[in-house]
Amino acid sequence: MKKIISAAVAAIGIAASAPASAIIVGGIDFGAIGATAHLETATLAESFVNAVGQSVDGYGLVTTVNGDSTYCADGSSNCALYFTFSFPVSGFTASGVTFSSGVMDIYYSANPAINLLGQSSAANIAFIQGETEWARFNGHTFSDLIFNAVDFIGGNLLPDTYVLNGNGTLTGTSLTQNGQGQADVDTTGVFGIASVAAYLDGNSQPDGLGGFSDLVLTSSTNNTVLNPFDIANGSADSCRTASPDVGDWCLQGTLNTRGTTKIPEPVSLALFSLGLFGIRMSSRWRSGKLA
């Protein structure tokens, strides 16, 4: 019991010692801008797809939160946010692809970020999914008439809707891709920390259908730089050919996400720090250190 009380006091102490402008949620410092909005940049690796019925899988590391690479609650880089995702292909042409559903999971690590090019993609995903569940985003249906007009995947401009779309080009052995999508934070409590979900539940990004999502994401990738461990084990060795293999880890680049925040009134840094307390308790519980 004393250890639990000490951990709670320490968690609140981090919030109390943070700058007055800091917004601490789930162990992450969103800074002053976190009172109204959030913007994240991240690395990205994803698999190659070329037909309906397949799924694009991916993962990465959040590199900055609202422009700050030292986004841990104590102002350091001694923690990290990672993510994994999976989106099934719903439409495909020679230049465009759409996805009608999908999930992106974000994980919190109480340790400094690892180099994701230091091991294979399979090892990276296993590592990430072993960290603390932080937040889940489910794909949100939106409409993009510009994309529809260019890629014409559904054969009909107006009804085409999806949660993610992308343009891809294979020129010789050079493969490039750009994507965009929308998502809603999962507030069911099945995955992640309740205080994080409540904070990210901004519901303010127009979806072109009269509704709003919590998150807009954009990505940009190519096959210029590939994970050397994936190449060595054969899970990326097709990526620099004219015919990449489905499922190979062919695309690497960046992911940007943005949304607005929803802060309960009155704003309380101590209450937000309970998310960090929950992370600590979860970690202790899993390692059998609550006794």
Side-chain angles (χ1 to χ4, degrees):
M1 177 61 72
K2 290 182 178 179
K3 291 183 178 180
I4 295 177
I5 293 175
S6 296
V9 171
I12 294 175
I14 287 176
S17 62
S21 61
I23 302 295
I24 309 295
V25 186
I28 301 301
D29 182 356
F30 285 83
I33 195 174
T36 56
H38 60 98
L39 171 66
E40 295 78 33
T41 63
T43 64
L44 173 64
E46 64 181 46
S47 58
F48 176 73
V49 295
N50 65 3
V52 173
Q54 301 168 0
S55 291
V56 62
D57 299 313
Y59 67 90
L61 165 71
V62 175
T63 51
T64 66
V65 174
N66 284 335
D68 191 355
S69 60
T70 56
Y71 53 69
C72 304
D74 62 358
S76 73
S77 55
N78 292 325
C79 73
L81 290 178
Y82 302 92
F83 65 91
T84 64
F85 64 78
S86 183
F87 291 86
V89 179
S90 59
F92 195 90
T93 68
S95 62
V97 60
T98 59
F99 308 83
S100 58
S101 63
V103 173
M104 180 171 67
D105 291 332
I106 304 177
Y107 297 82
Y108 174 94
S109 173
N111 298 302
I114 67 169
N115 181 359
L116 295 178
L117 292 179
Q119 59 186 7
S120 70
S121 288
N124 283 330
I125 290 176
F127 163 76
I128 291 171
Q129 294 180 337
E131 298 300 299
T132 300
E133 297 176 355
W134 196 76
R136 167 170 288 177
F137 285 90
N138 300 306
H140 178 102
T141 301
F142 72 102
S143 178
D144 179 357
L145 293 181
I146 295 177
F147 178 86
N148 291 350
V150 173
D151 292 280
F152 210 61
I153 290 177
N156 195 325
L157 287 180
L158 293 179
D160 286 355
T161 58
Y162 21 72
V163 304
L164 184 69
N165 65 41
N167 302 100
T169 304
L170 179 62
T171 306
T173 61
S174 178
L175 178 64
T176 60
Q177 177 271 338
N178 293 287
Q180 60 181 335
Q182 295 195 28
D184 294 315
V185 66
D186 192 325
T187 58
T188 64
V190 173
F191 185 103
I193 300 169
S195 62
V196 174
Y199 172 72
L200 298 176
D201 189 20
N203 194 38
S204 65
Q205 307 302 306
D207 59 16
L209 298 169
F212 298 88
S213 68
D214 296 324
L215 193 74
V216 172
L217 58 90
T218 56
S219 66
S220 177
T221 62
N222 60 56
N223 68 341
T224 301
V225 178
L226 296 173
N227 186 316
F229 292 87
D230 288 342
I231 295 174
N233 66 24
S235 59
D237 57 0
S238 74
C239 297
R240 290 177 178 164
T241 70
S243 301
D245 292 336
V246 173
D248 272 6
W249 292 97
C250 290
L251 294 165
Q252 296 179 35
T254 59
L255 173 71
N256 295 331
T257 66
R258 62 188 183 277
T260 59
T261 60
K262 184 177 180 181
I263 300 181
E265 294 294 340
V267 174
S268 171
L269 296 181
L271 287 178
F272 283 141
S273 72
L274 291 179
L276 176 59
F277 172 61
I279 288 174
R280 293 186 174 186
M281 291 301 97
S282 173
S283 177
R284 287 172 175 262
W285 180 267
R286 288 192 300 168
S287 59
K289 295 181 179 178
L290 281 181

